[in-house]
Amino acid sequence: MLRAMFGEQPRKDAGLLLEAIQAIRKYMYTLTSASRQSSQERRYIIWCQSFLRTLDDLEQSQFAAVRFGRKVSKKYTDQMSAEELDDYHRHLYYYNNALIRVFAVLDKLGHFMNERFSLHTERVKSRFSYFTVLRHMHKDKRFSDLEQQLYELKIKYNEPLNRLRNQRNMEIHTINADLLDDLMKAAEAKYGEQIRIGTEDIQQNLQDLEQGCQMTFRAAAEVFRYLHRRS
């Protein structure tokens, strides 16, 4: 959908995204092909459909963040032309959207595993994340083979995921960039000082986002392959 903004053809699924999509669809097929479906199985089918949509949304947001990020070359916003500043703000919009979606998909995966495997993580912590579920799986030990695969992914992508998590928390819980910009302009108008806001290291952020997307796609693929093998 978002590729149309750049005059490109719709995405052809490939790589890790395709692996995740195929794993979800194979598991969903085992549920839909049953002659009779329980209410729980219908619930899992709806969950699978939701995963397909959210993975698509994540990839599209990442794609747009990358494309708009390539259009930004100036170091400071007050050096940008009006057109480049618009591209910078568009980049931030889609980058922050993708950033939030990485953890939204992971947390949705955690809640799905918690229900599908009857882990009862809510007894340990009422509001839990994907990583809380992973720690609980380690203690539970009933699904140690899957837990080990997911744990190895966590370790492999730990550094970029930590940086992304910090940025996600800043975006959700701390003063946002637009409000900060307004406050800085107000200070400039009041005190007559030129205050410049440096742009983020866009390429480093996008590299971390790429790593976060990879981890998310891989984790989804591992979970649904595991379920398909057991079905």
Side-chain angles (χ1 to χ4, degrees):
M1 181 176 68
L2 296 181
R3 282 166 171 76
M5 293 191 301
F6 304 96
E8 295 193 13
Q9 295 297 312
R11 180 190 69 228
K12 292 183 178 179
D13 296 335
L16 295 176
L17 174 63
L18 177 59
E19 291 182 24
I21 290 173
Q22 289 176 332
I24 294 169
R25 285 178 175 164
K26 284 181 180 179
Y27 175 63
M28 188 165 59
Y29 178 76
T30 64
L31 299 175
T32 56
S33 60
S35 57
R36 296 185 62 182
Q37 295 164 3
S38 67
S39 59
Q40 192 73 293
E41 287 172 330
R42 289 194 293 272
R43 179 176 170 83
Y44 294 152
I45 291 170
I46 293 171
W47 221 321
C48 288
Q49 293 168 338
S50 177
F51 274 116
L52 292 174
R53 288 193 300 272
T54 54
L55 290 178
D56 176 62
D57 290 342
L58 171 57
E59 191 282 334
Q60 290 197 63
S61 295
Q62 180 202 15
F63 170 82
V66 170
R67 290 301 298 266
F68 283 119
R70 290 175 183 170
K71 295 174 176 285
V72 179
S73 59
K74 299 296 189 298
K75 185 176 181 181
Y76 297 101
T77 55
D78 62 0
Q79 296 175 341
M80 296 178 185
S81 65
E83 182 179 359
E84 186 174 7
L85 191 59
D86 283 344
D87 287 331
Y88 172 61
H89 287 151
R90 292 185 185 105
H91 159 74
L92 282 182
Y93 175 84
Y94 287 109
Y95 172 76
N96 288 330
N97 192 33
L99 175 68
I100 292 169
R101 286 179 184 276
V102 164
F103 293 97
V105 173
L106 287 174
D107 287 345
K108 180 181 290 191
L109 188 63
H111 280 261
F112 175 74
M113 289 191 297
N114 185 62
E115 180 171 322
R116 181 62 183 79
F117 299 136
S118 300
L119 296 170
H120 303 295
T121 310
E122 66 278 1
R123 296 176 182 174
V124 179
K125 189 175 182 181
S126 59
R127 298 182 64 182
F128 55 87
S129 70
Y130 167 81
F131 299 101
T132 311
V133 173
L134 203 57
R135 289 193 294 272
H136 188 54
M137 286 180 71
H138 180 71
K139 295 177 181 178
D140 184 271
K141 299 187 184 305
R142 285 181 293 156
F143 309 96
S144 56
D145 47 351
L146 175 61
E147 182 270 327
Q148 182 61 33
Q149 292 173 314
L150 298 178
Y151 178 75
E152 289 174 2
L153 286 177
K154 177 184 179 295
I155 296 302
K156 179 178 180 179
Y157 293 99
N158 187 55
E159 290 187 10
L161 256 293
N162 280 338
R163 288 192 292 269
L164 291 174
R165 183 185 293 107
N166 290 336
Q167 290 197 23
R168 188 275 310 267
N169 291 342
M170 286 284 290
E171 178 64 20
I172 293 177
H173 302 298
T174 314
I175 187 169
N176 64 50
D178 290 336
L179 180 55
L180 179 60
D181 187 47
D182 290 342
L183 291 174
M184 297 293 274
K185 288 178 180 177
E188 179 181 341
K190 182 176 181 180
Y191 300 108
E193 298 174 355
Q194 183 181 23
I195 302 174
R196 302 195 300 182
I197 303 174
T199 61
E200 295 90 343
D201 185 347
I202 291 176
Q203 293 308 312
Q204 179 62 57
N205 287 345
L206 289 175
Q207 287 176 17
D208 286 345
L209 179 59
E210 169 64 23
Q211 295 290 297
C213 289
Q214 286 185 19
M215 191 266 195
T216 303
F217 299 152
R218 288 180 186 274
E222 292 291 354
V223 169
F224 284 97
R225 283 178 189 145
Y226 181 84
L227 288 169
H228 181 257
R229 290 195 299 268
R230 289 168 56 93
S231 60

